[in-house]
Amino acid sequence: MRRRSMLLTTLLIAAGCGPSAEEQAAEAEAARQQAIADTLAMAEATYEPAAFDSIQWVEQSEAIARGQVVFSYSCAKCHGRAGDGTGGFVQQGDTLRPPSFLIEDWRFRDDHEGLRRQIFVGTANGMPHWGLEGLTPRDMDAVGYFIRFSLRDGG
């Protein structure tokens, strides 16, 4: 009987020595952040600007039309239909705060290459890494045209 009592006492002490709920939450968050960093690094390593070199549009309006379709199913849920950063996820209370493409000093205003890279790679703040999620370079190029030349110019 004494042996069982010692074993039970040892197990109870060992159980009490484990990480607290706060420590477990911190470890889970650190693992989540590491997974995000690893995915971004993979997307960055996979990004190849030459993948966009062969894309040709008969007219810019063709790219914008295709980009509008891509934007509606891939981007609007976060960035909003107007590109102002108030998509459905935000309206439903998500803490994600995507940028508005409509602000005057938007960083990709005159940087199509940078915008394509951003769409491909994503961000640590919640932007999906569309290059790993299945958007083709042609669709990423098109959505870049739509954002820069339709949304920003008021459609």
Side-chain angles (χ1 to χ4, degrees), residues 92-112:
Q92 294 170 9
D94 197 318
T95 58
L96 179 71
R97 293 294 174 250
S100 169
F101 306 132
L102 309 180
I103 60 173
E104 190 61 33
D105 62 346
W106 179 58
R107 71 187 245 202
F108 297 112
R109 176 184 179 148
D110 298 314
D111 185 4
H112 196 69

Side-chain angles (χ1 to χ4, degrees), residues 24-111:
Q24 289 176 352
E27 287 175 15
E29 179 59 20
R32 187 180 81 77
Q33 290 297 324
Q34 185 60 53
I36 290 169
D38 291 347
T39 302
L40 287 172
M42 184 185 336
E44 189 67 48
T46 306
Y47 178 75
E48 182 57 53
F52 296 92
D53 289 350
S54 64
I55 298 170
Q56 294 182 0
W57 302 100
V58 174
E59 293 187 19
Q60 186 172 304
S61 61
E62 177 188 8
I64 291 170
R66 176 63 188 159
Q68 183 174 18
V69 172
V70 175
F71 187 89
S72 71
Y73 68 78
S74 296
C75 312
K77 58 190 160 217
C78 294
H79 292 281
R81 295 177 62 104
D84 60 359
T86 61
F89 290 154
V90 174
Q91 292 177 8
Q92 294 170 9
D94 197 318
T95 58
L96 179 71
R97 293 294 174 250
S100 169
F101 306 132
L102 309 180
I103 60 173
E104 190 61 33
D105 62 346
W106 179 58
R107 71 187 245 202
F108 297 112
R109 176 184 179 148
D110 298 314
D111 185 4

Side-chain angles (χ1 to χ4, degrees), residues 60 64 101-102 109 145-155:
Q60 186 172 304
I64 291 170
F101 306 132
L102 309 180
R109 176 184 179 148
Y145 275 108
F146 174 70
I147 291 168
R148 291 183 59 235
F149 298 107
S150 186
L151 285 179
R152 288 196 47 85
D153 291 342

Side-chain angles (χ1 to χ4, degrees), residues 123-146:
T123 71
N125 296 327
M127 168 115 173
H129 38 272
W130 289 110
L132 302 180
E133 295 290 334
L135 279 187
T136 66
R138 186 171 181 83
D139 281 347
M140 288 182 265
D141 189 60
V143 81
Y145 275 108
F146 174 70

